[in-house]
Amino acid sequence: MMQIDEIDNINQQIIDDDDNAAIIDSDASDIDEEEASPLLSALDDLESRVVTALNEFKSHPGTVGSTATSAGSVKQSIHQELASILRPVVEVSAHTGPSTARALASSYPQNYTIEMCVDEIYTRINSELILPVILESAQSDTIPAKRSASLALFHTLHSEWCKAGSYLDGSTSAPSLAGPYGPGISPGSGHVSAPPFNPAEGQRRNQIKSA
């Protein structure tokens, strides 16, 4: 006949097995949900493009490459070369990001609002990735040309954000349609609500190689 202790051990083992099974099921459910989320997939794609360009910038030696030429086979300056490397960052930040937000909200109205998509993309791509990495480079990169290129990027981003369809777009006479929301969409507010950068949430910066 089983002793009380043996019965307790068996019951505890059953409970542990059930708990482990529940954890596995929960993890699998989270993975399935992430894989099925168009917004998360879009964020991962945008982030990947930005990380690739920032990695190239951070690893640049600060001297003009032997094959760096512009139109007419005229050799680029180091400043032109670095700006060219950072151009994909500008495109994703100012144009591809907002257009992706509009496309997601239009394609999946049952899942996303335009405000939700804009805020998620602005926060993850700009607040948590591009701006802190470029600011860090502007402050601490040992190569003067790269510090200069980082500072210049802030001006470029502001100029691009002011263009039609981007975050600071004021080309429409209707305030509720300004910014990245586009014609015919009436958001709850006419601006992007982006929270301050939280270092605890900005671990994606660690993917960027130090200079």
Side-chain angles (χ1 to χ4, degrees):
M1 180 178 296
M2 285 190 178
Q3 299 297 318
I4 297 297
D5 290 343
E6 293 177 342
I7 295 174
D8 289 342
N9 289 337
I10 292 174
N11 289 337
Q12 184 61 48
Q13 183 63 43
I14 293 173
I15 293 173
D16 291 341
D17 290 343
D18 289 343
D19 289 343
N20 292 335
I23 292 172
I24 293 173
D25 289 342
S26 176
D27 291 343
S29 176
D30 291 342
I31 292 172
D32 290 342
E33 183 178 348
E34 290 184 6
E35 290 178 348
S37 170
L39 177 56
L40 289 178
S41 297
L43 283 167
D44 288 341
D45 177 63
L46 294 173
E47 185 180 80
S48 177
R49 298 188 213 179
V50 172
V51 167
T52 298
L54 290 176
N55 273 334
E56 183 178 358
F57 175 75
K58 296 289 284 184
S59 62
H60 195 282
T63 56
V64 179
S66 59
T67 59
T69 58
S70 57
S73 299
V74 177
K75 194 169 186 179
Q76 291 180 316
S77 68
I78 181 59
H79 303 292
Q80 291 173 321
E81 183 173 337
L82 291 172
S84 177
I85 292 172
L86 288 172
R87 188 62 202 176
V89 175
V90 175
E91 289 295 329
V92 170
S93 172
H95 304 297
T96 312
S99 66
T100 299
R102 290 191 293 271
L104 286 168
S106 175
S107 300
Y108 304 95
Q110 70 280 11
N111 297 329
Y112 309 118
T113 63
I114 182 66
E115 295 95 335
M116 178 194 304
C117 294
V118 166
D119 284 353
E120 286 292 331
I121 289 176
Y122 183 92
T123 299
R124 180 162 162 181
I125 301 302
N126 290 324
S127 294
E128 294 184 358
L129 181 57
I130 295 174
L131 295 179
V133 169
I134 292 302
L135 178 60
E136 181 182 15
S137 178
Q139 292 175 325
S140 60
D141 200 296
T142 58
I143 300 173
K146 290 167 70 176
R147 293 200 301 271
S148 176
S150 299
L151 289 171
L153 187 66
F154 288 106
H155 175 75
T156 302
L157 285 173
H158 180 265
S159 298
E160 295 292 327
W161 285 351
C162 289
K163 292 184 178 179
S166 196
Y167 296 106
L168 301 179
D169 170 29
S171 62
T172 175
S173 59
S176 63
L177 303 182
Y181 301 106
I185 300 174
S186 181
S189 61
H191 64 280
V192 178
S193 175
F197 174 68
N198 183 348
E201 298 175 356
Q203 297 304 318
R204 297 178 186 86
R205 287 188 296 168
N206 294 333
Q207 300 178 36
I208 311 300
K209 294 185 286 189
S210 58

